[in-house]
Amino acid sequence: MPTYRDEAVILRTHKLGEADRIVIMLSRRHGKIRAVAKGVRRTSSKFGSRLEPFMVADVQLYQGRSLDIVQQAESLGAYGSEIAVHYDRYTAASAMVETADRLSDSEATSDQYLLLVGGLRALSRGEHVPRSILDSYLLRVMALSGWAPSFDDCARCGTPGPHTTFVAQLGGVVCSQCAPAGSPRVAEKTLELLRSLLRGDWDAVDAASVAETSAASGLVGAYAQWHLERGIRSLAHVIDQSGEAR
Ligand SMILES: [Zn+2]
């Protein structure tokens, strides 16, 4: 019987039949996994609570023909409860798992797994403003997939920066020659914050003002929505409550 073991973040679940659940996970070594967890919706289930969104678990799976079957699950990070009781953490975490769920099989690498686990852990511990954790996560997800925005040289022609016009559709900052007429300007402080979010320079991120954080979030959101094509549903919630995230 082909079984395998891996670490995985639970991205989402849905009900199957009376007592079972389908669990979609991003794993460390096996990319995205869709598996059935049998009997987890019964109160006697030993591992049901370990297979909820935002949880990190060590799972053992049996390889099925279309869906794998969860045989065991041990908790590695019970981040769900600390995230769920704070609305701003919850909306940020929801956008993060939804983004991870969008990754194609070839993009679902162990680096993506580690990035998501780190982001969820930081959210559950309240280490930084939830929205900044999300923004940093989104920028780095895109960087890992080869879509890093440019914050220095012109994204279109490569002319060395600094440039002060950011156009999401063109891939980041653009020079005055490449900028479409009427493009809004971006403050240098906002660009600095965006670079810090991409690098994970948390001292600089934590020191940013609410206005800078909000301005950077707007650009990250526009860029992420453009580049993830269909737009992230959960991100719309986060953008809607702009200014309230702190
Ligand atoms: Zn240019």
Side-chain angles (χ1 to χ4, degrees):
M1 295 267 169
T3 62
Y4 64 100
R5 204 180 178 97
D6 206 342
E7 296 166 24
V9 184
I10 316 306
L11 303 178
R12 66 187 157 91
T13 68
H14 49 93
K15 292 175 185 175
L16 179 69
E18 295 215 334
D20 304 344
R21 190 176 278 156
I22 289 182
V23 184
I24 291 95
M25 299 172 262
L26 175 62
S27 72
R28 185 167 191 156
R29 293 183 301 276
H30 294 82
K32 270 161 69 180
I33 298 172
R34 284 168 55 83
V36 180
K38 297 201 176 217
V40 287
R41 283 160 56 219
R42 295 201 181 96
T43 48
S44 58
S45 167
K46 269 180 278 179
F47 54 66
S49 63
R50 297 166 201 159
L51 297 171
E52 297 284 351
F54 319 137
M55 298 298 213
V56 183
D58 182 330
V59 286
Q60 184 180 308
L61 297 117
Y62 168 75
Q63 214 167 5
R65 208 174 300 165
S66 56
L67 290 168
D68 296 348
I69 295 166
V70 181
Q71 293 180 315
Q72 278 179 38
E74 299 295 334
S75 178
L76 294 176
Y79 304 139
S81 54
E82 275 306 307
I83 287 172
V85 293
H86 300 271
Y87 183 72
D88 50 355
R89 293 183 193 179
Y90 178 79
T91 53
S94 299
M96 284 162 61
V97 295
E98 195 175 324
T99 303
D101 199 17
R102 290 274 173 85
L103 296 171
S104 63
D105 285 332
S106 62
E107 288 170 328
T109 60
S110 61
D111 283 342
Q112 290 283 7
Y113 166 81
L114 293 171
L115 184 64
L116 181 59
V117 171
L120 292 173
R121 188 195 301 122
L123 277 178
S124 76
R125 293 178 181 169
E127 288 176 2
H128 312 284
V129 177
R131 198 160 159 175
S132 292
I133 295 173
L134 169 62
D135 289 339
S136 180
Y137 171 77
L138 290 172
L139 288 173
R140 293 159 94 176
V141 161
M142 293 185 286
L144 285 175
S145 299
W147 301 334
S150 173
F151 297 131
D152 296 294
D153 299 343
C154 175
R156 190 150 174 255
C157 72
T159 300
H163 304 299
T164 54
T165 309
F166 184 95
V167 183
Q169 295 88 323
L170 295 179
V173 295
V174 287
C175 71
S176 53
Q177 301 295 313
C178 293
S183 305
R185 309 221 138 208
V186 183
E188 177 52 33
K189 279 201 150 183
T190 305
L191 286 175
E192 246 170 64
L193 176 55
L194 288 166
R195 288 185 201 106
S196 300
L197 287 164
L198 180 58
R199 275 199 310 265
D201 178 356
W202 288 103
D203 287 342
V205 171
D206 291 344
S209 70
V210 176
E212 284 157 25
T213 302
S214 184
S217 277
L219 296 178
V220 173
Y223 187 84
Q225 282 193 316
W226 177 261
H227 286 271
L228 299 171
E229 289 173 349
R230 288 173 294 166
I232 309 166
R233 252 176 298 132
S234 310
L235 203 57
H237 290 285
V238 184
I239 292 166
D240 285 347
Q241 32 152 8
S242 58
E244 290 168 27
R246 193 169 271 257

